[in-house]
Amino acid sequence: MGFFARLFGGRFTMPPPDETDASHAAIMREMRSPQYAAQKQALKLFTQTLLARTPEEESARLVRRVLRKYAADQDPASALTHGLLDSSRGQKLAYLALLGVDWRGFDVFEYHAPYLVAASGVQAPYTYEHTGTRPMQEVLENFDQWLAGFGKRYLHLDSGDDDYVGFIVDAHSVESTLELAQQAGLHVTVQSAACDTSP
């Protein structure tokens, strides 16, 4: 600075920046959009609803995990899927509430679907055996039809990737779930919107 001050006749000086007592978190809150708080509250409620059958302590842990990821500037769908589907810190198999499989994930579906069904409150066991002839989208549609016989539906969450993510709800609460998802910034549908990329 001394060189430039001499070069420009002392005019190259600036006052030091104003100090602030605001924390990093407070600054980030100010920079977020006005709908952030409402969307965060809706995402929290949606996650709590999704985990309604999970033990309270485990549910609270997962909700905090999803909200931390959302606060780290992840979009709602990424925060939810990364928060719950993480194999080491996400949901436990016994309380499976969100299922994620790719277009070739038939083995994963075969293993996880019975846990998802049991965790949703359906008493009848679900069995699936891959025949190698049906695409994943059709497998999930048949799964939804099977659930309908027990007053349940399988809803699809657009995670932003080309995988299949979904969860089970009571048939009578489909509309309210879709509405809450929209408030939370999530795209949830009854039919899968993922593209089948199988050959």
Side-chain angles (χ1 to χ4, degrees), residues 11 14 47 54-55 77-78 88 114 118 123 140 173:
R11 291 174 296 166
M14 293 181 62
T47 309
T54 304
S78 296
S88 60
Q123 300 298 317
L140 293 174
S173 65

Side-chain angles (χ1 to χ4, degrees), residues 62-100:
L62 291 170
V63 169
R64 286 192 305 270
R65 182 172 164 76
V66 169
L67 294 181
R68 274 196 308 269
K69 291 190 173 295
Y70 180 62
D73 291 332
Q74 287 194 359
D75 63 273
S78 296
L80 185 66
T81 55
H82 294 165
L84 298 185
L85 295 179
D86 182 270
S87 58
S88 60
R89 297 182 186 167
Q91 60 191 341
K92 295 179 179 168
L93 197 56
Y95 312 119
L96 196 65
L98 189 67
L99 176 67

Side-chain angles (χ1 to χ4, degrees), residues 97-114:
L98 189 67
L99 176 67
V101 294
D102 65 23
W103 65 275
R104 296 175 301 178
F106 300 102
D107 291 341
V108 174
F109 178 78
E110 182 178 359
Y111 182 64
H112 284 149

